[in-house]
Amino acid sequence: MTVSIFNDVIGPIMRGPSSSHCAAALRIGRLARDLAHRRFDEVLVEFDNAGSLPTTHQSQGSDMGLFGGLLGWEADDERLPDSKKHLADAGIKIEFVYGDYGDAHPNTYRLTLKNDQTNCSLIAISTGGGMIEVIELEGMPVKLDGGFDETLVYLTIDRQANEPTTMEPIRQQFLAIDSVAAANYYEPQNILHVQSTRAISDESIFDLLDNDSVANIVRLQPVLPVRSQLPVTGSRPVPFLTCREMEQYQESKELSLSELAIEFESARGAMSKTDVVNQMVRIVNILRKSLSEGLAGTEYDDRVLGFQSGKFAEQMQQSKLIDAGIVNRIVLYTTALMEIKSSMGVIVAAPTAGACAALPATCIAIGDVNGLSDEEIAEGMLAAGMIGVFIAHAWSFAAEVGGCQAEGGSASAMAAAAAVTYSGGSQKQATAAASMALQNMLGLICDPVANRVEAPCLGKNVMAASNAICCANMAMSGFDALIPLDETIDAAKRVSAMMPREHRCTGLGGLSTTPTSLKIMEQLACGQHKCGSC
């Protein structure tokens, strides 16, 4: 599954505190809903005791997202905060069970959807930044990310008795259809699974299988904004997937990082270069609206921190703050965007919801100070997205996998590359700045106070953005990053493997377990905490 800037890095457009919890759970829920033919009245959700979800699924938005997905909603639906009530009103019962399943990934969802006639099952993981991977459908081992149309053809017993003699030619005939990427038959389940770039019609299925052979057809619709493409034999759909490959690709081209990003995403999504830029301009417009709403003031009951960006803006206007140049504006914008997230407003995970503010705040602040157009701001964000592609391809944005170095560290690296791009720096300077920024944040843990994605997340977003500005200036001044970006990403991945579970967004270590954090969590549970906005 080739990484996409819009699928994996800058997005999804969503509500909720955490993309790896809320947005990913929503996408998993949408696929499970389709698998059940949208007819179910009971859902069993199972989480591994050794994973992150038993301690975080309620407070970090997994339940909210999963319920919304089971209802068929989008990740930015304004009803999401009340999804539990809507699910109950729909007559759907939810049961959560924790067990020792030996799941390899900390964000593993085991779902069983039931009605009075049948049940169906799905196992999926949240890989970070709202991205998912379904690893099992109806007991079949699969690998899908929500970018294809998925068609499950349930076959009769008569057909199974003739396998494999008669099924292999039929499978090959499905593969010959110009939109089909994969077609696999699973004998114990008696299911033919077809992945395609558009829905396979009933007519096409019955052309290859007689009616008596088909017991049922189930379709899972794509949940990603950029669809997956057909694999090309002997090649891949993009020109490069690592920083080193990118540098080799452009040795004679001398393109900027933003131009390279546009080439990459155009190839990945079969989009025109103009469409790639326009899609990012749309995201910039969404971010501007969210920023304005954040600066105007936000309220939400289940919240650790109140409205703070207003006071910071007042102090700035009265020249009462230490002169930190553009960094003060970045702090203001970062705070406002984080406050929108914490009040369930619309945000863009860039690359995650927990680290949603550092990159956009840096980009829009530089754009405002320098009078850049939204298209120019979008080009810098595309450059940042290219750095994110390298990270997502080799590693993960999920704090449950790599701590906050995976979220804040990635955001800082991306913002540093964007800042260099806005200043007219070269591709080499941009990737050097990204490497330095990530180097500076290796080992950063994820320890949310009161199990809410607010503190110390706000401070870490501010640190990520400030670090990015410093590293951008250092790179443009000729500072030596020493370690190439690919090697820095690999080092971060190795560090994450050594991190204890308690420091990877489980609420079991660091600031999460301080007496004050536990007290705030208790107050929130009974509605007694006063965050300053209520």
Side-chain angles (χ1 to χ4, degrees):
M1 308 295 181
T2 305
V3 176
S4 157
I5 290 175
F6 294 120
N7 283 350
D8 303 74
V9 184
I10 312 290
I13 299 162
M14 59 169 286
R15 296 178 192 267
S18 167
S19 49
S20 62
H21 286 262
C22 187
L26 184 140
R27 287 170 168 172
I28 291 168
R30 286 264 303 270
L31 292 172
R33 171 184 167 87
D34 285 351
L35 183 65
H37 265 307
R38 306 181 183 184
R39 296 193 297 269
F40 56 94
D41 49 33
E42 292 183 42
V43 181
L44 171 64
V45 185
E46 297 172 289
F47 295 140
D48 194 297
N49 281 321
S52 69
L53 291 166
T55 57
T56 61
H57 70 93
Q58 295 180 14
S59 60
Q60 294 194 21
S62 294
D63 291 0
M64 180 179 77
L66 180 61
F67 300 161
L70 292 169
L71 290 164
W73 298 350
E74 297 290 343
D76 60 349
D77 195 296
E78 63 183 11
R79 298 169 292 178
L80 270 174
D82 297 318
S83 61
K84 182 178 181 179
K85 179 181 181 300
H86 285 277
L87 198 71
D89 290 345
I92 299 172
K93 299 178 181 178
I94 298 283
E95 179 184 5
F96 288 91
V97 173
Y98 309 149
D100 298 321
Y101 306 115
D103 291 328
H105 197 284
N107 291 342
T108 300
Y109 292 75
R110 295 170 169 265
L111 304 183
T112 305
L113 280 63
K114 309 175 185 178
N115 59 33
D116 57 359
Q117 295 179 327
T118 185
N119 62 61
C120 58
S121 64
L122 170 153
I123 300 177
I125 59 177
S126 163
T127 59
M131 295 303 294
I132 64 171
E133 183 180 331
V134 180
I135 59 175
E136 186 177 297
L137 284 176
E138 299 285 58
M140 305 181 303
V142 297
K143 185 178 177 65
L144 59 97
D145 65 355
F148 281 115
D149 278 279
E150 311 286 344
T151 304
L152 303 181
V153 184
Y154 292 72
L155 303 175
T156 61
I157 299 300
D158 290 342
R159 171 63 67 188
Q160 185 182 25
N162 294 325
E163 171 61 25
T165 306
T166 56
M167 279 307 303
E168 183 56 26
I170 291 173
R171 192 180 75 83
Q172 291 298 327
Q173 285 178 286
F174 271 101
L175 287 172
I177 299 175
D178 62 7
S179 66
V180 173
N184 294 300
Y185 177 66
Y186 294 90
E187 184 176 356
Q189 296 85 358
N190 209 28
I191 297 173
L192 180 69
H193 173 212
V194 182
Q195 287 186 323
S196 56
T197 55
R198 60 177 182 270
I200 302 296
S201 68
D202 287 356
E203 291 78 10
S204 297
I205 293 170
F206 290 129
D207 281 346
L208 300 178
L209 295 163
D210 60 83
N211 290 16
D212 291 338
S213 297
V214 179
N216 193 15
I217 299 173
V218 174
R219 305 178 189 282
L220 281 64
Q221 298 180 346
V223 295
L224 297 182
V226 178
R227 289 193 172 213
S228 299
Q229 301 299 311
L230 287 173
V232 179
T233 303
S235 65
R236 59 189 181 191
V238 292
F240 43 80
L241 273 169
T242 67
C243 186
R244 177 60 182 150
E245 288 177 353
M246 180 184 72
E247 290 171 348
Q248 292 172 338
Y249 170 82
Q250 79 126 352
E251 279 179 351
S252 60
K253 296 181 176 64
E254 295 187 4
L255 301 175
S256 68
L257 185 57
S258 61
E259 290 170 327
L260 288 160
I262 292 167
E263 284 203 11
F264 173 92
E265 193 63 17
S266 177
R268 165 60 181 83
M271 305 164 66
S272 71
K273 294 181 180 179
T274 299
D275 286 344
V276 171
V277 175
N278 288 342
Q279 173 71 355
M280 192 60 82
V281 169
R282 174 176 170 265
I283 288 174
V284 171
N285 291 333
I286 291 170
L287 287 165
R288 281 200 177 281
K289 184 173 185 294
S290 297
L291 180 59
S292 296
E293 292 174 356
L295 291 170
T298 54
E299 293 184 7
Y300 195 71
D301 288 340
D302 188 24
R303 177 173 172 179
V304 175
L305 298 171
F307 175 46
Q308 301 178 125
S309 55
K311 184 69 173 180
F312 193 92
E314 289 177 11
Q315 296 293 94
M316 275 184 64
Q317 292 167 0
Q318 296 172 18
S319 300
K320 292 184 177 179
L321 301 178
I322 297 169
D323 184 6
I326 197 171
V327 171
N328 280 343
R329 185 182 292 262
I330 290 172
V331 172
L332 174 64
Y333 287 5
T334 298
T335 307
L337 287 171
M338 291 295 286
E339 288 171 356
I340 277 290
K341 176 193 68 64
S342 298
S343 60
M344 298 300 160
V346 174
I347 59 163
V348 178
T352 68
C356 70
L359 170 64
T362 299
C363 293
I364 296 176
I366 292 175
D368 287 353
V369 168
N370 293 285
L372 302 181
S373 67
D374 283 353
E375 182 171 319
E376 290 171 317
I377 293 173
E379 289 173 356
M381 290 192 67
L382 282 162
M386 197 68 254
I387 300 299
V389 164
F390 300 148
I391 296 171
H393 170 68
W395 184 32
S396 173
F397 295 132
E400 297 85 359
V401 173
C404 199
Q405 62 169 359
E407 295 199 35
S410 297
S412 190
M414 292 161 62
V420 170
T421 300
Y422 293 134
S423 300
S426 67
Q427 169 264 307
K428 288 187 179 295
Q429 289 173 325
T431 52
S435 182
M436 283 190 281
L438 184 55
Q439 289 174 35
N440 295 345
M441 300 186 76
L442 291 190
L444 193 63
I445 68 171
C446 181
D447 54 344
V449 170
N451 243 339
R452 270 65 174 177
V453 188
E454 296 182 67
C457 316
L458 168 59
K460 289 176 179 176
N461 272 259
V462 168
M463 178 173 66
S466 305
N467 179 47
I469 293 296
C470 294
C471 290
N473 281 335
M474 291 162 68
M476 289 187 294
S477 300
F479 281 52
D480 191 346
L482 289 177
I483 309 300
L485 179 59
D486 290 336
E487 292 184 26
T488 301
I489 295 169
D490 183 61
K493 182 177 181 179
R494 286 185 278 110
V495 169
S496 71
M498 300 175 189
M499 274 186 166
R501 172 181 177 241
E502 289 78 7
H503 292 166
R504 290 184 281 115
C505 199
T506 57
L508 298 174
L511 295 178
S512 302
T513 55
T514 58
T516 297
S517 175
L518 297 174
K519 181 179 179 181
I520 293 172
M521 185 160 57
E522 183 179 330
Q523 290 173 334
L524 286 167
C526 58
Q528 294 179 349
H529 180 67
K530 301 299 180 183
C531 65
S533 65
C534 50

